[in-house]
Amino acid sequence: MPGDFPPRARFGPYGPCMAPLQIEAGGRNWTFDGTAPVTIGRDPACDIVLAGDTVSRRHAEIRPDGATWTLIDVGSSSGTFSNGTRVTEMRLSGQGRFRIGGVEGEEVGFAVVGARPAVATEDVALPAPGLAQTVLPGGAVPGSFVPGPALLVRAGGSSRRFVPGTTVRIGRDPANEVVVDDASVSRLHSVVESRPDGWWFVDRSTAGTFDGEDQVRTRKITAPTTLMLGHPTAGVEVEIVPVVETRQAQKTIAGRKRKRTALLVGGIVAALVLVGGGIAAAALLGGDDEDGGGDDGPTLAAEGLSDAELERAKSATVFLIAVLDGEPAWTGSGSIISDDGLILTNAHVADPGAPGFEAPAESPDYLVVGVVPEDDSDAPVELRFRATPVATDGPLDLSVVKIMGDVDGNPVTGDLGLPEPMPIGDSETVRTGDDLVALGFPGLAAVDLEDPFARPVTVTEGVASTIKAVPPFGEDAWIESDLRLGSGNSGGPTINDDGELVGVNTEVRTRETQGEGEDGGIFTSGSALMRPSKWTAAPIAAAEAGTPYTSEWVDDVDGPAPEPEMNADAGLAAGGWSLDGSATCAATTSPEAPQILAGAVFPGTIFAEFLAAGIPDGTQLELQFFSADGATQLGSSPGVWEWGAEQTCVAFTVDVAESIEGIIAVLVIGDLQVANPVLFQ
């Protein structure tokens, strides 16, 4: 293999220097040299101060990385927009505009000094092998691309594509990126977010989003997915498709065919999902004659449970609505455990951002608490209070919240007028075959379709199937039962025949939530998991004492895999282009003297080759594509290095849709960056 590596080669399409950034907003102009991030917001301490009503105090930043500028929304409430599309991260190149805030937000013009004006293009789609393809939608601003596949959303007879780095809002509001004009759909029904690990669907509605009988709260979108907005069968269908490279899509389809065949032979493996609150759910529990519901309430097999004990449990079970950015985000259940307003629930209902939680997400601003009416325990709840977490155990998925104000946020003092607290029982006395009763507020239990929060408490029965040991907690990690739980039951109580809380409703296994698999059996009715009450003692004690709480299990749960460290002698060099992908890195090319490649036929496939050494497997990489003059970014594809740390030549496949003058491929790995330009003859 030819040549030595240039030390820490850093080449971009505009040369090795950091281009200054010019900003125009509110009748003023600024120039920044790239020595520090540029802050934007209402706060007078920001570098660019904007006074609009929809501008957050610290709204966004424009960060330099030594080669490019990147606009990043830092958690604003009203968003940052480019060409009408909400973005969370956007590279800036050439000249263009973006908007800080909503429809009435502040327009900001930018120019990367020395760069040519950016022009959108749809002429070229450039996937690389094993990397996701970036599709360029019409009107997008080149330079706004971040790693990951593009997204196609089909709803209401129309289709729209979105680049990575955007947030796609779906609902009735005309300001949404995808507008669905149907009464069953909320104004902001859901969002599809571009996160570092891909696209995620997040339901923000009151009526729910469904995949078959399962309510979907949060789901990573890795394959074409069809969901129903507002109702499992009578809602509006929306299709969400990550646009991956053609060969990857073909492999996915082939894999599904193989799995369908295996399904007929081997059945389906059950999987864990959270019971509402944050993640997908199971079926509606109770409420019809077949399930023992009806106007007279359930008929319980737990003969030792008296009417008075059941009434006490029903009254102490509360409905919880998580509020995020002023909007209801998800719902759950809980148990009143003290007269002064302590409520026991799940972390994924109250505080999913807590340390050690297995699927971390943004925690709500507060929880609205619905209480069962004093004179009728079968009537819909009354929304009376606000509560916030005071002790959360992320690894155990438990949280204790405390009532802090009335439903409008006004402080409350003195007697809260709460029902009798739920007594905490000894979960270590539960044995296989013991009768259990679960209570809560599943999403489909709403009695008023116009008011989905008008929910009565539901009651279902079952038996303890097994007591499960799970690392790192050891024995008594779960009580598993045939209880039927639904989305919204999360955090609610499971009681014994003395009316004592012995478990917290947490997860459910069903055939539908598992999907296709190749091993194990088929769950026909589902299997519920409750966190035993023994694990609630520590967070409850901390909440009662008003002392800070940190889970003893935080260091025992697996966190994100650490990024491999780049070898000290790591390097990259451009190896030119080839027609056959022979991976010889034999061509010579540079930004000053691009390779001339003869014989390429378009549409067709060519190969960008790079020489690399010292890069450990698992290191994140990005392959960027620019037009021959460097003025237009054509696309961007992420990937992971998998060719070992020894010196090697790697050929990336590039499919070119139409004739083009040339391409600059830029491979970025850590702080290494090298340009590989080619002109076609």
Side-chain angles (χ1 to χ4, degrees):
M1 295 187 182
D4 295 326
F5 292 99
R8 293 284 172 174
R10 297 183 59 86
F11 293 96
Y14 313 118
C17 299
M18 184 74 199
L21 176 71
Q22 291 181 346
I23 294 291
E24 180 275 320
R28 296 187 59 194
N29 294 278
W30 295 264
T31 300
F32 301 96
D33 60 6
T35 57
V38 178
T39 55
I40 305 174
R42 286 203 328 271
D43 193 320
C46 289
D47 299 307
I48 299 173
V49 180
L50 302 176
D53 293 337
T54 59
V55 178
S56 299
R57 289 188 61 82
R58 192 176 181 87
H59 196 107
E61 291 184 359
I62 306 176
R63 299 175 185 172
D65 64 3
T68 61
W69 295 89
T70 302
L71 171 69
I72 297 175
D73 187 291
V74 293
S76 69
S77 58
S78 54
T80 302
F81 297 82
S82 172
N83 284 1
T85 299
R86 188 165 183 169
V87 299
T88 55
E89 183 172 333
M90 183 177 89
R91 287 200 185 94
L92 304 183
S93 65
Q95 302 170 12
R97 305 189 71 81
F98 56 85
R99 189 173 75 249
I100 296 293
V103 176
E104 303 299 326
E106 299 288 328
E107 290 288 333
V108 177
F110 70 86
V112 179
V113 179
R116 304 182 184 185
V119 179
T121 179
E122 288 188 294
D123 291 341
V124 185
L126 303 165
L131 306 180
Q133 177 182 354
T134 296
V135 176
L136 310 184
V141 178
S144 64
F145 303 99
V146 297
L151 189 76
L152 174 69
V153 180
R154 298 189 182 104
S158 63
S159 300
R160 286 198 64 189
R161 290 176 183 258
F162 301 91
V163 296
T166 61
T167 297
V168 181
R169 298 170 299 170
I170 304 172
R172 291 202 326 269
D173 194 319
N176 292 332
E177 284 71 39
V178 176
V179 179
V180 181
D181 188 13
D182 189 280
S184 65
V185 178
S186 301
R187 290 185 63 82
L188 176 59
H189 195 99
S190 60
V191 297
V192 186
E193 301 175 343
S194 177
R195 299 179 181 176
D197 61 342
W199 293 98
W200 284 79
F201 175 88
V202 181
D203 184 90
R204 294 287 183 86
S205 70
T206 55
T209 299
F210 302 89
D211 181 1
E213 68 175 1
D214 298 316
Q215 186 170 1
V216 178
R217 185 60 67 185
T218 303
R219 177 177 293 181
K220 185 176 182 180
I221 305 298
T222 58
T225 301
T226 300
L227 301 171
M228 300 295 289
L229 307 181
H231 191 275
T233 57
V236 175
E237 185 176 279
V238 59
E239 185 178 5
I240 306 170
V241 182
V243 186
V244 298
E245 192 259 337
T246 301
R247 278 159 291 190
Q248 181 180 340
Q250 290 172 323
K251 290 179 181 179
T252 300
I253 293 171
R256 286 181 187 156
K257 291 179 180 177
R258 288 193 297 271
K259 285 186 178 181
R260 289 194 196 102
T261 303
L263 173 62
L264 300 176
V265 178
I268 298 178
V269 180
L272 294 178
V273 294
L274 301 180
V275 186
I279 311 289
L284 164 67
L285 58 96
D288 59 312
D289 293 337
E290 180 181 351
D291 294 323
D295 295 337
D296 296 330
T299 301
L300 298 175
E303 297 179 357
L305 183 65
S306 69
D307 290 343
E309 290 167 341
L310 178 59
E311 284 299 308
R312 178 184 63 191
K314 290 167 65 175
S315 296
T317 304
V318 295
F319 179 42
L320 300 175
I321 306 170
V323 178
L324 185 63
D325 296 332
E327 295 284 343
W330 59 81
T331 65
S333 305
S335 302
I336 297 172
I337 56 173
S338 74
D339 292 325
D340 61 351
L342 292 181
I343 296 169
L344 176 65
T345 185
N346 281 136
H348 75 259
V349 172
D351 196 10
F357 184 62
E358 64 179 354
E362 184 175 1
S363 293
D365 300 322
Y366 58 88
L367 297 149
V368 171
V369 181
V371 180
V372 172
E374 184 178 359
D375 56 350
D376 186 357
S377 64
D378 292 323
V381 295
E382 300 169 346
L383 303 183
R384 291 178 51 189
F385 301 106
R386 289 188 184 184
T388 57
V390 290
T392 299
D393 194 306
L396 287 169
D397 198 357
L398 294 172
S399 185
V400 180
V401 304
K402 184 176 178 60
I403 292 173
M404 298 295 188
D406 63 19
V407 71
D408 296 317
N410 302 309
V412 290
T413 57
D415 184 7
L416 299 178
L418 295 173
E420 181 182 350
M422 183 84 70
I424 306 295
D426 182 2
S427 59
E428 294 187 296
T429 65
V430 176
R431 295 291 181 266
T432 300
D434 284 358
D435 294 324
L436 299 173
V437 172
L439 301 93
F441 297 87
L444 297 182
V447 296
D448 184 351
L449 293 180
E450 297 299 318
D451 183 5
F453 297 147
R455 301 186 194 179
V457 64
T458 64
V459 180
T460 55
E461 61 174 331
V463 298
S465 304
T466 186
I467 312 299
K468 298 178 68 69
V470 177
F473 313 117
E475 300 295 330
D476 302 322
W478 292 110
I479 298 172
E480 186 170 3
S481 172
D482 62 349
L483 281 162
R484 295 186 65 210
L485 299 181
S487 179
N489 269 103
S490 284
T494 288
I495 60 175
N496 59 17
D497 57 7
D498 291 324
E500 300 169 329
L501 184 150
V502 291
V504 178
N505 306 331
T506 304
E507 298 184 1
V508 66
R509 300 177 175 197
T510 69
R511 171 179 177 172
E512 289 76 15
T513 53
Q514 164 61 20
E516 297 176 352
E518 299 181 3
D519 301 305
I522 295 177
F523 281 79
T524 56
S525 300
S527 182
L529 294 176
M530 286 72 66
R531 186 67 73 190
S533 60
K534 64 174 284 187
W535 301 105
T536 69
I540 289 176
E544 290 174 338
T547 57
Y549 177 80
T550 300
S551 173
E552 65 176 294
W553 306 102
V554 167
D555 295 332
D556 297 311
V557 295
D558 294 331
E563 179 76 11
E565 291 189 12
M566 192 83 76
N567 295 357
D569 59 349
L572 290 177
W577 295 70
S578 68
L579 299 177
D580 58 4
S582 56
T584 60
C585 289
T588 301
T589 185
S590 70
E592 296 76 23
Q595 176 190 357
I596 307 298
L597 183 64
V601 178
F602 303 122
T605 300
I606 55 178
F607 298 85
E609 300 186 355
F610 292 87
L611 188 63
I615 300 172
D617 286 345
T619 304
Q620 299 294 316
L621 63 85
E622 181 179 9
L623 191 59
Q624 304 170 353
F625 299 100
F626 296 84
S627 58
D629 59 4
T632 302
Q633 184 172 1
L634 305 175
S636 166
S637 294
V640 176
W641 185 261
E642 55 185 30
W643 295 277
E646 298 297 323
Q647 181 168 306
T648 186
C649 180
V650 178
F652 294 97
T653 305
V654 179
D655 294 328
V656 182
E658 297 182 5
S659 294
I660 189 171
E661 177 187 0
I663 301 173
I664 302 173
V666 180
L667 182 59
V668 181
I669 305 180
D671 64 350
L672 300 176
Q673 179 173 308
V674 63
N676 190 357
V678 63
L679 297 175
F680 303 119
Q681 190 178 66

